[in-house]
Amino acid sequence: MTEFFNLELTLRLLGLDFVQTGLLAAAVLGLVSGVLGPLIIMRRMAFAVHGTAELAFTGAAAALLLGVSVEYGSLIGAVIAALLLALLGGESRERDSVIGAVLSFGLGVGVLLLWLHEGRAANKFGLLVGQVISVDSANLRVFAVSGAVVLGVLAVIYRPLLFASVDPVVAASRGVPVRFVTPMFALLLGIATALGVQTVGVLLVIAMLVTPAAAACRVTSSPLLATVLSIVFAEVAVLGGIVLSLAPGAPISAFVTTIAFTIYVLCRVIEYRRSLATRSTVATTAEAEPAPR
Amino acid sequence: MTGEPVVSIRDASLSFGARTLWSGLNLDVGRGEFLAVLGPNGAGKSTLFAVLLGRQRLSSGTAHVAVHGIGYIPQQGVVDFPRTLRGVDLVSLGLDGHRWGLGLRGAVERKRRVAEAIEAVGAGPFARRPLHRLSGGEQQRLRVAQALVGEPELLLCDEPLLSLDHNNQRAVSELIERRRREEGTAVLFVTHEINPVLSYVDKMLYLVDGRFSIGSPDEVMTSATLSTLYRSDVDVVRIGGQIHVTGAHSSVCEDDPHHPQVQA
């Protein structure tokens, strides 16, 4: 535990190539998560993100068993899961139960596949809690390309997607192809989730895709500012988490989630203080008015 | 009415199982026409809009909308607005939310038109506040701005006056009327209260329990017509340019709130 905040060791590790590669991959994840986050919250898809991440695990487990790359396995698993959840979970009222049914089955299959595969235990653990430092330069290229694809597609569909997320009926009346943008968003979400699974792990993808945006939504009502803040929060959480995890050599997840959660709590405190301020302004204004008789 | 009708409905019927909302409906709405749609809850007024928006199939017959730009003002309270959305954002979406790309070009022009639309409904003071915190009436005015900013050729208004006070009712109906007068937009206006829009209405569709009557307010809002529709004695009284309806049937009352369940 004395090694927990060893500055010298941390700096030495930061000079290493594979650490820098990991940080770059994490920065890509932070950017993509930060941009998608506010839309996820707006569409109430936090639980869908969790479900998608768990099914990315199933995909990865299948890849292990088949002897193909875990990265592609988790990507395919996440994309299929995201599309499936988008297709099945039509009515928002039933969406939670659909996700619950699908993800528990998927997770069960994943556990079976891992049991069938008698490979290295390290890989199993890595999938659940993340192993960003294992990202090599070839993976980094995949990360960068995936990130660019997500951001590029999002730039094209952003406005119709936002419209459809706020109010699908009015959007459709204005000619927004709601049935096209919804699965497109699911696809982007699947890709982002797969990136998250490889860095922070299945269990903590929400800490990247949901928590920073949830924090941002507490302190601003502007969609643009919420996106900017959500990117900043996500980057601080993931890069800060990795740097802090270097010296103790601990899994990054604990650090990433702690930072993300701290930011979330701070934002809620700011929101609360603001609401108090507004209330006292209203009270003062009311006092200034002549009292009704 | 000039040229091809904007909305044309032919021999249309709509049933859910054994229950028929309406059948044999024929209706044309032309450019610049103001059609008020009245009737008790559950008569199929909103469902008619769903048909025109392509969200609901007819059981038989055809419904044709001849324009592309539809402005739709949904019933208030149907949508739960997210935390990160302000009035300006809602109105911007109405202007170009259907366009691909980020729309960085033309941002100045967009800002100007959105500001104009917000000004027109008097929503300036609260347009930058979170939408989900606004009152029903404030949200409603922004909805009107959202629909009008897109310069629609057809306006579908589902109870746009609900939860507005008297002054705002007048302001909102005048805005919609001005759009119709100046740009020739066809207006379909579902309402429980005919009086705020009575002077604008060209034609009415009064739906009751599968029966309906179409005509001018003078033709439809009579004791004889409404008594036939409701199958009970209904008195229509005109006082000072307003129409008041009294009758045994509770749902005849125009001031009914919208959402109570169908009366026993």
Side-chain angles (χ1 to χ4, degrees):
Chain A
M1 281 310 251
T2 47
E3 296 288 295
F4 234 76
F5 295 105
N6 187 330
L7 185 63
E8 192 195 331
L9 179 59
T10 303
L11 286 176
R12 199 165 73 232
L13 289 168
L14 278 175
L16 297 176
D17 271 354
F18 73 91
V19 172
Q20 289 173 359
T21 309
L23 284 171
L24 280 174
V28 172
L29 174 70
L31 180 60
V32 169
S33 309
V35 173
L36 291 179
L39 288 161
I40 292 169
I41 301 222
M42 207 174 257
R43 300 179 69 89
R44 293 165 208 206
M45 288 178 72
F47 191 38
V49 170
H50 185 64
T52 305
E54 304 222 326
L55 291 160
F57 162 79
T58 309
L64 269 182
L65 191 63
L66 294 171
V68 296
S69 125
V70 173
E71 286 77 14
Y72 289 117
S74 62
L75 179 64
I76 291 168
V79 167
I80 291 177
L83 289 175
L84 201 65
L85 295 181
L87 276 176
L88 293 177
E91 286 256 338
S92 59
R93 206 174 322 152
E94 349 180 303
R95 203 180 295 151
D96 277 359
S97 52
V98 170
I99 295 165
V102 173
L103 93 80
S104 56
F105 171 65
L107 203 56
V109 171
V111 168
L112 175 71
L113 292 172
L114 267 195
W115 178 72
L116 288 173
H117 174 76
E118 292 165 14
R120 295 145 300 163
N123 233 330
K124 304 177 190 176
F125 191 59
L127 283 173
L128 289 174
V129 298
Q131 45 184 4
V132 65
I133 299 307
S134 74
V135 175
D136 61 24
S137 57
N139 282 339
L140 183 61
R141 219 166 301 136
V142 176
F143 258 70
V145 170
S146 310
V149 166
V150 171
L151 296 180
V153 173
L154 198 62
V156 175
I157 69 169
Y158 184 78
R159 276 187 295 173
L161 177 64
L162 183 68
F163 204 170
S165 306
V166 170
D167 191 345
V169 179
V170 176
S173 80
R174 290 284 283 148
V176 171
V178 179
R179 286 196 192 134
F180 169 73
V181 294
T182 302
M184 275 312 276
F185 183 67
L187 186 65
L188 301 183
L189 198 57
I191 297 173
T193 305
L195 297 184
V197 166
Q198 283 164 58
T199 43
V200 289
V202 170
L203 299 177
L204 301 166
V205 164
I206 286 195
M208 289 305 298
L209 279 162
V210 177
T211 312
C217 293
R218 291 282 159 183
V219 291
T220 178
S221 57
S222 150
L224 178 66
L225 188 58
T227 306
V228 171
L229 283 178
S230 150
I231 294 170
V232 171
F233 294 165
E235 294 288 5
V236 168
V238 74
L239 297 179
I242 291 176
V243 170
L244 287 181
S245 75
L246 288 175
I252 67 163
S253 316
F255 297 94
V256 173
T257 48
T258 303
I259 296 174
F261 187 66
T262 306
I263 293 173
Y264 178 73
V265 170
L266 283 178
C267 285
R268 290 206 70 143
V269 169
I270 292 172
E271 182 194 35
Y272 178 67
R273 293 184 62 131
R274 272 192 196 159
S275 75
L276 284 187
T278 320
R279 226 173 287 162
S280 70
T281 319
V282 172
T284 325
T285 326
E287 271 166 32
E289 312 241 327
R293 281 163 202 277
Chain B
M1 201 196 296
T2 51
E4 195 194 350
V6 174
V7 171
S8 87
I9 296 172
R10 289 282 166 275
D11 302 320
S13 71
L14 189 62
S15 317
F16 294 107
R19 184 162 163 260
T20 300
L21 279 181
W22 24 264
S23 68
L25 181 64
N26 286 290
L27 181 69
D28 281 331
V29 183
R31 252 180 68 80
E33 238 185 337
F34 196 119
L35 175 89
V37 183
L38 272 84
N41 302 322
K45 305 186 297 287
S46 301
T47 318
L48 178 67
F49 279 9
V51 168
L52 296 176
L53 289 169
R55 300 176 54 76
Q56 173 68 52
R57 287 171 75 100
L58 288 168
S59 307
S60 68
T62 58
H64 183 62
V65 176
V67 295
H68 289 295
I70 299 181
Y72 173 49
I73 303 174
Q75 215 173 83
Q76 196 239 310
V78 173
V79 169
D80 231 353
F81 290 114
R83 302 177 72 93
T84 46
L85 200 77
R86 302 158 303 173
V88 276
D89 305 312
L90 187 79
V91 178
S92 297
L93 287 175
L95 179 62
D96 59 9
H98 56 295
R99 296 262 165 86
W100 304 112
L102 290 171
L104 299 177
R105 226 179 297 167
V108 176
E109 168 72 2
R110 172 166 65 238
K111 234 179 175 170
R112 189 186 61 75
R113 286 181 60 185
V114 168
E116 263 177 25
I118 287 172
E119 200 51 49
V121 296
F126 49 84
R128 295 198 159 267
R129 298 227 303 268
L131 203 51
H132 73 110
R133 297 236 169 147
L134 299 182
S135 73
E138 290 168 334
Q139 291 182 353
Q140 199 64 1
R141 281 198 268 168
L142 287 160
R143 279 293 199 191
V144 173
Q146 183 193 32
L148 291 181
V149 77
E151 309 198 325
E153 293 175 77
L154 170 64
L155 258 178
L156 302 179
C157 317
D158 199 348
E159 305 250 12
L161 304 183
L162 206 70
S163 81
L164 294 181
D165 61 28
H166 193 72
N167 286 338
N168 279 318
Q169 282 193 351
R170 205 168 49 200
V172 163
S173 21
E174 270 171 13
L175 271 166
I176 292 169
E177 160 64 10
R178 203 207 305 159
R179 170 80 205 168
R180 172 185 82 117
R181 204 173 50 232
E182 291 173 1
E183 312 292 337
T185 296
V187 178
L188 269 67
F189 199 100
V190 168
T191 181
H192 272 77
E193 290 195 66
I194 186 71
N195 287 318
V197 290
L198 187 57
S199 55
Y200 312 141
V201 172
D202 299 305
K203 199 155 57 171
M204 295 182 58
L205 166 63
Y206 207 122
L207 291 162
V208 183
D209 226 2
R211 299 175 292 279
F212 57 85
S213 172
I214 299 173
S216 70
D218 285 341
E219 290 161 355
V220 175
M221 299 302 281
T222 64
S223 301
T225 309
L226 291 196
S227 295
T228 312
L229 282 177
Y230 280 104
R231 289 187 174 159
S232 70
D233 283 336
V234 175
D235 277 321
V236 178
V237 192
R238 285 178 177 264
I239 308 167
Q242 295 205 325
I243 296 179
H244 292 277
V245 180
T246 56
H249 202 292
S250 61
S251 62
V252 179
C253 175
E254 319 108 81
D255 293 328
D256 249 6
H258 192 265
H259 280 296
Q261 291 309 300
V262 179
Q263 291 84 351

